[in-house]
Amino acid sequence: RNTDARALWTAARLLDLGADQSAIAQRAFWGYSLDYLHQLGRGLLAIEVVDTVAILCLPPDIEWWLKSHIIGYLSGLENVDIACVLYPEEDVIKGSLRTRYDTVDVNQIAHRFGGGGHKKASGFRIPGTIIDGIIHFEDNNYTAKEFVKKFIQK
């Protein structure tokens, strides 16, 4: 949970000290650049869902900030238990996993790839690359759906 008593106390203290609540909301929720929305749209169009897993393979030219933001959209999809975002970085594929549910442990999935994190948010790195949405890993080529079936849904 991101909002606990300490977070609320801190927010109240900031307001007491004169923080501009409207300005904070403006920066947090509005004011996106056109480039941000174009890249977000590109990413959202590429989402695939396999059973209860949403997966997205991002191209290498997607900005770093989208990689961290877009997984929230995937994990918020209805009927999706696991969100997985894969993106190439140098000579590896980075993977981010998220879930909203206490009954799902994405950390176990990350451990299969030598990664880790928390029960609801984990990550991993695997040798390989992604070209035109095809995952090149372990001397094989996988579509996003094939990757989910072989490695995520075990």
Side-chain angles (χ1 to χ4, degrees):
R1 295 193 170 101
N2 294 331
T3 307
D4 58 11
R6 182 178 165 87
L8 294 173
W9 180 88
T10 302
R13 181 75 179 120
L14 287 170
L15 290 174
D16 287 345
L17 292 171
D20 184 345
Q21 184 176 1
S22 177
I24 293 169
Q26 285 281 342
R27 296 221 44 176
F29 302 111
W30 300 288
Y32 299 119
S33 71
L34 186 57
D35 181 55
Y36 174 86
L37 293 178
H38 283 165
Q39 289 198 41
L40 178 62
R42 256 177 75 205
L44 294 175
L45 285 172
I47 295 170
E48 296 191 55
V49 177
V50 182
D51 299 323
T52 61
V53 178
I55 185 166
L56 174 59
C57 295
L58 292 173
D61 63 331
I62 292 289
E63 296 290 337
W64 66 269
W65 39 259
L66 186 61
K67 296 170 187 171
S68 61
H69 290 152
I70 203 161
I71 198 160
Y73 290 98
L74 271 71
S75 62
L77 286 170
E78 58 186 9
N79 302 318
V80 166
D81 295 339
I82 298 170
C84 177
V85 173
L86 301 176
Y87 54 93
E89 194 167 282
E90 295 176 15
D91 59 346
V92 299
I93 297 170
K94 287 190 173 183
S96 294
L97 300 163
R98 300 287 185 277
T99 186
R100 296 178 285 157
Y101 301 101
D102 293 330
T103 57
V104 177
D105 186 351
V106 295
N107 194 33
Q108 289 180 352
I109 298 167
H111 276 278
R112 292 183 205 150
F113 298 106
H118 305 281
K119 183 177 179 181
K120 291 185 175 183
S122 292
F124 59 88
R125 293 170 176 235
I126 54 176
T129 190
I130 300 171
I131 299 173
D132 295 327
I134 301 297
I135 302 158
H136 305 280
F137 171 61
E138 292 185 340
D139 296 322
N140 291 300
N141 298 325
Y142 302 97
T143 65
K145 288 183 179 185
E146 291 167 340
F147 188 86
V148 166
K149 289 179 180 176
K150 183 163 179 77
F151 300 106
I152 305 296
Q153 291 182 326
K154 277 185 163 180

